[in-house]
């Protein structure tokens, strides 16, 4: 059977690589792991001129001199796997940054096509690229395209076809480094020629082996044999070359710096000769926006204002659909209970199933779905437009000073929508140590499930004005951010010591979001994901809550008995036993804390809602609440153990009891200490 032609898709992050992949493969795609790796890669198939092709979308990378798992995968696939052509996707608006990777890919193989994507963006910015001149400099064909509209894709397929079938042969240019480096590279290259069998450029292998990069050496041994470095010729030439470099002061870091410096100089020269840019109105607008969003004095206030607007829209917009869902679910509960009774089911079973299991489950759906359906698309809108990366840029320095990774700024922001999504987002952090710091501290960010309780308490006990209430809420969020910084610093100074890693924070151009696609992706990847996990835990939790509220001991429900036992602990941290128990039983979802508390305060056997904030305040005050109780409840709502969905996600991400337990204790101890101090002072 004739083998499919295999084409690799490579490029920096945010250059439209996935758009190119989707445009070419359509629905003929799937995701899977490369053998022995844990990182997913996308694969797709297409047919062109009587030939079958397999397109492999490798993870985005800025360089082949990389350390993250995704970047190592891209490097190793390029160096050690079989393929017929490599498509390097670059951003036409930023060739200076993108060509670094292209030059390194060309060092591995000359079977390369350069796709100059985002040509429409370049045109809007009055950027002109000399396609023929760029092709002459690199020695590979260059295709201009706008992948999201499909322009240029047919030209790309034609060039890939010609190279894959050896109809044309590229004459990729060789990058020359310092003479001292060139001489030792030739020594190693000569030894490799008599030692290994590969269709890749031996010069690239020689360059990499001289770096002393353990990850590359391990991949090299895995592909060519564990005893490859025992070969006399290769070992001798390699050791002599490293010795010569050391004598010249070019060992290890100095060698890598010299290589990267040469590549950068060549990139600068190519861009200088092939790219012309004239001032454009769009560029001026973007610079004006950057002055506001990333200005020294304006960035933080504007960031808080944007976040406040998102919160206000989420809270105000979710009330009506939540009420509609609860009304519909209430009617469904009544109908279901009547139907079960008519079928002869006992009243106890009906109450247990309908008023216990089903009510908690439906309540979680009613209170979680509307806020998520509003917050996550708005959050994705900020990301798609280009605002979110700039917010991360503003917070990068603070996280770096705490010994954490700047990318934690992004995952922390994601946590304000849902901690479970924030924990999953920590995958973008390459360092396992720094990823753990981000995972453990993510629950210090109050998710949108805690906002209804916070807003209700703020409105009842501190300020009824909506604008001032929003200001107080933003103040609490600022406190949570400061605690995230402080806790990150403590973790990186104790159980998770280490040196902070550096990373390149991509600041994409401002773009008009694709609304429909954005909403679809958000629903599929975030809303359904979080809701499913919450529902899985809500059903058994509803059973437990019903049992506690309906089993009586000496004319008192078990729920009230446990609350009485917890009362001393609750009063120690400024709460009471009822609220402490409500937080514990609210483990499935933070939204059911207040309904559980009302069950205990009113001694009812089922969860019920309050009609108005005034009636709720009356119930709370009658049960001993003061403004100190209200403040401690707000603080403990922000800082306590993660909800069930988040905890399950932490376990899946860390696969460790130790780190999962620390993720519970970190926010819990934070909340206990702060609440105890407030209660002691006031």
């Amino acid at each position: 059977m004739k083998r499919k032609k295999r084409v690799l898709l490579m490029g920096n992050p945010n250059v439209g690589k996935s758009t190119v992949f989707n445009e070419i493969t359509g629905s003929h795609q799937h995701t899977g792991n490369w053998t022995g790796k844990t990182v997913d890669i996308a694969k797709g198939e297409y047919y062109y001129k009587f030939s079958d092709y397999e397109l492999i979308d490798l993870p985005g990378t800025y360089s082949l001199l990389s350390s993250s798992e995704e970047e190592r995968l891209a490097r190793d696939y390029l160096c050690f796997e079989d393929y017929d052509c490599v498509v390097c996707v670059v951003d036409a608006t930023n060739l200076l940054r993108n060509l670094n990777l292209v030059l390194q890919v060309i060092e591995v193989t000359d079977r390369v096509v350069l796709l100059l994507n985002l040509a429409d963006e370049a045109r809007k910015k009055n950027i002109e690229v000399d396609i023929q001149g760029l092709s002459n400099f690199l020695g590979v064909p260059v295709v201009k395209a706008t992948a999201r509209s499909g322009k240029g894709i047919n030209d790309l397929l034609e060039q890939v076809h010609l190279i894959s079938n050896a109809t044309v042969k590229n004459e990729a240019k060789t990058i020359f480094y310092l003479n001292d480096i060139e001489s030792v590279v030739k020594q190693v290259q000569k030894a490799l020629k008599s030692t290994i069998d590969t269709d890749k450029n031996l010069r690239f292998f020689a360059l990499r082996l001289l770096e002393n990069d353990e990850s590359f050496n391990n991949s090299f041994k895995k592909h060519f044999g564990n005893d490859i470095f025992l070969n006399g010729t290769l070992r001798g030439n390699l050791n002599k070359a490293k010795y010569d470099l050391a004598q010249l002061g070019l060992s290890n870091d100095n060698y890598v710096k010299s290589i990267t410096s040469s590549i950068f100089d060549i990139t600068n020269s190519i861009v200088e000769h092939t790219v012309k840019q004239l001032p454009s109105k769009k560029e001026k607008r973007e610079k004006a926006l950057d002055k506001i969003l990333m200005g020294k004095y304006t960035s933080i206030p504007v960031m808080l204002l944007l976040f406040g607007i998102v919160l206000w829209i989420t809270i105000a917009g979710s009330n009506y659909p939540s009420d509609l869902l609860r009304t519909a679910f209430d009617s469904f509960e009544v109908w279901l209970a009547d139907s079960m009774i008519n079928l002869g089911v006992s009243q106890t079973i009906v109450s247990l199933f309908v008023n216990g299991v089903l009510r908690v489950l439906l309540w979680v759906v009613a209170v979680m779905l509307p806020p998520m359906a509003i917050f996550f698309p708005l959050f994705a809108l900020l990301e798609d437009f280009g605002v979110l990366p700039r917010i991360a840029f503003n917070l990068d320095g603070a996280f770096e000073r705490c010994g954490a990774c700047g990318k934690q700024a992004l995952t922390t922001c994601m946590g304000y929508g849902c901690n479970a999504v924030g924990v999953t987002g920590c995958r973008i952090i390459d360092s396992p140590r720094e990823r753990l710091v981000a995972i453990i501290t993510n629950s210090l960010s109050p998710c949108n499930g805690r906002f209804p309780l916070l807003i209700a308490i703020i409105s009842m006990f501190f300020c009824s004005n909506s604008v001032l209430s929003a200001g107080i809420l933003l103040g609490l969020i600022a406190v949570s951010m400061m605690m995230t910084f402080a806790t990150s610093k403590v973790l990186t100074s104790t159980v998770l010591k280490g040196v902070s890693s550096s990373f390149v924070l991509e600041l994409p151009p401002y773009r008009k979001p694709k609304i429909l696609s954005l909403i679809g992706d958000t629903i599929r990847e975030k809303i359904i994901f979080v809701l499913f996990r919450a529902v899985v835990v809500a059903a058994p939790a509803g059973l437990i809550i019903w049992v506690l509220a309906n089993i009586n001991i000496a004319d008192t429900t078990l729920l009230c008995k446990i609350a009485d036992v917890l009362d001393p602990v609750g009063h120690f941290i400024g709460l009471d036993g009822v609220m402490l128990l409500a937080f514990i039983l609210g483990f499935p979802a933070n939204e059911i804390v207040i309904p559980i508390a009302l069950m205990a305060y009113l001694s009812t056997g089922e969860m019920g809602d309050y009609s108005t904030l005034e009636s709720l305040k009356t119930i709370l005050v009658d049960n001993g609440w003061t403004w100190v109780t209200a403040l401690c409840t707000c603080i403990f709502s922000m800082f306590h153990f993660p909800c069930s969905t988040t905890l399950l996600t932490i376990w899946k991400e860390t696969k460790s009891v130790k780190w999962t337990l620390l993720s519970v204790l970190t926010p819990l101890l934070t909340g206990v200490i702060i609440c105890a101090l407030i209660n002691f002072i006031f």
Side-chain angles (χ1 to χ4, degrees):
M1 182 178 177
K2 188 177 179 182
R3 181 179 72 84
K4 294 177 183 176
K5 301 291 184 182
R6 184 175 292 172
V7 181
L8 305 187
L9 203 57
M10 296 193 70
N12 291 182
N14 296 315
V15 296
K17 196 158 53 68
S18 296
T19 306
V20 174
F21 177 80
N22 293 332
E23 183 68 27
I24 294 175
T25 61
S27 60
H28 305 287
Q29 53 187 261
H30 64 278
T31 301
N33 287 335
W34 186 32
T35 306
K37 301 290 182 181
T38 58
V39 180
D40 289 339
I41 57 174
K43 295 183 179 181
E45 299 174 355
Y46 71 95
Y47 182 80
Y48 185 80
K49 287 192 174 180
F50 308 106
S51 295
D52 291 313
Y53 289 84
E54 181 182 34
L55 186 63
I56 300 172
D57 184 12
L58 297 178
T61 176
Y62 293 98
S63 170
L64 297 182
L65 315 176
S66 307
S67 58
S68 74
E69 182 67 18
E70 290 83 356
E71 292 170 331
R72 283 196 294 268
L73 187 154
R75 179 200 65 195
D76 289 354
Y77 212 114
L78 182 72
C79 291
F80 304 118
E81 296 297 307
D82 294 326
Y83 49 84
D84 300 282
C85 183
V86 180
V87 176
C88 284
V89 184
V90 300
D91 181 353
T93 68
N94 203 335
L95 271 183
L96 185 62
R97 182 187 66 229
N98 287 212
L99 283 181
N100 173 54
L101 175 65
V102 176
L103 290 172
Q104 292 177 50
V105 171
I106 290 174
E107 282 191 311
V108 181
T109 177
D110 61 357
R111 299 196 298 272
V112 176
V113 178
L114 180 62
L115 182 66
L116 203 64
N117 194 29
L118 301 174
D120 57 334
E121 295 285 342
R123 186 166 55 253
K124 291 176 183 177
K125 292 185 176 183
N126 285 348
I127 296 175
E128 296 179 1
V129 181
D130 180 1
I131 300 298
Q132 189 56 52
L134 185 59
S135 178
N136 292 338
F137 269 107
L138 298 174
V140 301
V142 179
V143 177
K144 183 186 292 187
T146 302
R148 56 186 168 188
S149 65
K151 292 181 180 178
I153 297 299
N154 285 337
D155 294 336
L156 171 66
L157 296 179
E158 179 62 23
Q159 290 297 332
V160 170
H161 178 73
L162 293 175
I163 291 175
S164 298
N165 290 279
T167 305
V168 297
K169 182 174 176 58
N170 291 336
E171 295 182 1
K173 299 297 187 291
T174 300
I175 302 174
F176 289 102
Y177 302 104
L178 296 176
N179 290 333
D180 294 331
I181 292 179
E182 288 295 331
S183 63
V184 297
V185 167
K186 288 179 181 177
Q187 294 179 36
V188 180
Q189 190 174 344
K190 182 179 179 181
L192 287 172
K193 188 173 183 180
S194 61
T195 307
I196 64 174
D197 180 22
T198 179
D199 61 345
K200 309 303 187 299
N201 194 332
L202 296 177
R203 176 182 171 80
F204 181 82
F205 287 115
L207 286 163
R208 299 293 77 80
L209 290 175
L210 289 169
E211 289 175 13
N212 282 328
D213 180 3
E214 185 179 353
S215 72
F216 182 82
N217 289 346
N218 289 337
S219 298
F220 190 80
K221 287 191 293 183
K222 183 177 180 180
H223 186 74
F224 293 111
N226 289 327
D227 59 346
I228 184 68
F229 290 117
L230 299 178
N231 180 279
T233 303
L234 177 59
R235 183 177 58 183
N237 284 31
L238 190 57
N239 288 338
K240 183 178 184 306
K242 290 179 180 179
Y243 175 80
D244 291 343
L245 286 175
Q247 294 299 108
L248 296 166
L250 290 172
S251 58
N252 298 332
D253 288 346
N254 289 335
Y255 169 78
V256 175
K257 287 178 181 177
S258 178
I259 294 291
T260 54
S261 177
S262 296
I263 294 175
F264 185 73
D265 289 341
I266 295 170
T267 299
N268 270 326
S269 177
I270 293 174
V271 170
E272 184 180 340
H273 287 87
T274 60
V275 179
K276 294 181 180 179
Q277 182 171 9
L278 302 174
S280 67
K281 292 181 179 179
K282 182 176 181 181
E283 184 181 7
K284 292 178 181 178
R285 287 196 301 269
E286 289 189 353
K287 287 183 177 179
L289 280 173
D290 278 343
K291 285 183 179 180
I292 297 172
L293 290 173
M294 302 195 307
K296 183 177 181 180
Y297 301 106
T298 59
S299 57
I300 300 301
V302 170
M303 179 180 71
L304 290 174
L305 178 62
L306 285 173
F307 203 70
I309 292 172
V310 169
L311 292 178
W312 178 78
I313 293 174
T314 300
I315 295 164
S318 61
N319 287 334
Y320 184 66
S322 285
D323 290 341
L324 283 179
L325 282 175
R326 271 190 281 190
T327 301
F329 289 157
D330 287 345
S331 299
F332 175 70
E333 286 178 21
V334 172
W335 172 83
L336 183 61
D338 291 341
S339 300
M340 292 177 70
I341 291 173
N342 291 334
L343 291 173
V345 180
S346 72
Q347 185 67 45
T348 302
I349 298 298
V350 172
S351 178
L352 185 151
F353 178 72
V354 177
N355 299 331
V357 176
L358 187 64
R359 179 163 297 179
V360 172
L361 190 151
L362 294 180
W363 200 303
V364 168
V365 173
V367 296
M368 285 187 69
L369 182 58
M372 286 195 302
I374 296 172
F375 182 89
F376 285 136
L378 289 176
F379 194 82
L381 191 68
L382 290 177
E383 182 179 13
D384 216 33
F385 183 68
V387 172
L388 194 59
R390 285 160 175 83
I391 291 176
F393 175 84
N394 295 331
L395 298 175
D396 174 39
F399 278 105
E400 186 178 356
R401 285 191 290 274
C402 295
C405 176
K407 290 181 182 178
Q408 189 176 334
L410 290 170
T411 64
T412 299
C413 290
M414 293 168 71
Y416 287 108
C418 174
N419 294 135
V421 174
V423 169
T424 305
C426 293
R427 295 173 185 173
I428 66 174
I429 300 175
D430 303 324
S431 164
R433 181 188 69 86
E434 292 168 348
R435 190 183 309 127
L436 280 172
V437 174
I439 288 173
I440 293 168
T441 59
N442 199 268
S443 293
L444 295 171
S445 304
C447 64
N448 66 45
R450 307 182 218 184
F451 291 147
L453 183 148
L454 292 171
I455 291 169
I457 293 178
I458 290 170
S459 301
M460 289 185 294
F461 287 90
F462 300 106
C463 180
S464 58
N465 182 278
S466 60
V467 176
L468 292 177
S469 295
I472 294 174
L473 180 60
L474 276 177
L476 290 175
I477 290 173
V479 170
S480 76
M481 183 64 74
M482 287 188 286
M483 291 310 304
T484 298
F485 293 143
T487 308
S488 297
K489 182 65 175 178
V490 171
L491 289 172
T492 55
S493 301
T494 54
V495 294
L496 288 169
K497 286 184 179 179
V499 179
S500 299
S501 63
S502 60
F503 79 103
V504 180
L505 182 60
E506 183 74 17
L507 289 180
Y510 295 99
R511 295 174 185 167
K512 184 178 179 181
K514 301 173 74 173
I515 304 295
L516 294 179
S517 174
L518 180 148
I519 292 174
D521 291 343
T522 302
I523 291 174
R524 182 179 63 255
E525 297 174 6
K526 291 186 174 68
I527 296 175
I528 294 178
F529 163 78
V530 175
L531 200 59
F532 173 76
R533 287 194 175 179
V535 166
V536 167
V537 183
L543 175 62
I544 294 171
I545 293 169
W546 184 91
V547 169
L548 293 176
N550 286 273
I551 293 180
N552 292 320
I553 300 177
D555 297 327
T556 305
T557 65
L558 190 56
L559 188 71
C560 293
K561 282 285 187 184
I562 298 174
D564 290 340
V565 173
L566 293 175
D567 212 42
V569 180
H571 283 298
F572 174 74
I573 59 175
L575 308 178
D576 58 23
V578 169
M579 280 309 299
L580 187 55
L581 180 59
F583 277 113
I584 294 171
L585 295 178
F587 173 64
N590 291 287
E591 294 86 346
I592 62 175
V593 168
I594 286 293
I596 293 172
L598 289 177
M599 286 174 63
Y601 284 138
L602 300 176
S603 298
T604 59
E606 59 187 49
M607 285 205 318
D609 199 6
Y610 50 90
S611 56
T612 63
L613 286 180
E614 289 78 11
S615 64
L616 175 60
K617 183 178 180 180
T618 300
I619 295 171
L620 297 178
V621 172
D622 289 345
N623 282 274
W625 274 52
T626 65
W627 70 270
V628 176
T629 313
L631 179 59
C632 289
T633 301
C634 287
I635 295 296
F636 199 73
S637 176
M638 291 199 303
F639 307 129
H640 66 284
F641 45 82
C643 72
S644 60
T645 307
T646 304
L647 198 62
L648 181 60
T649 305
I650 292 171
W651 162 250
K652 286 182 175 291
E653 292 297 314
T654 63
K655 294 292 190 298
S656 166
V657 174
K658 173 185 174 182
W659 300 123
T660 302
L661 183 61
L662 188 58
S663 299
V664 173
L665 292 176
T666 298
L668 181 59
L669 290 176
T670 301
V672 167
I673 292 171
I674 296 176
C675 288
L677 287 173
I678 292 173
N679 189 45
F680 176 76
I681 294 171
F682 299 104

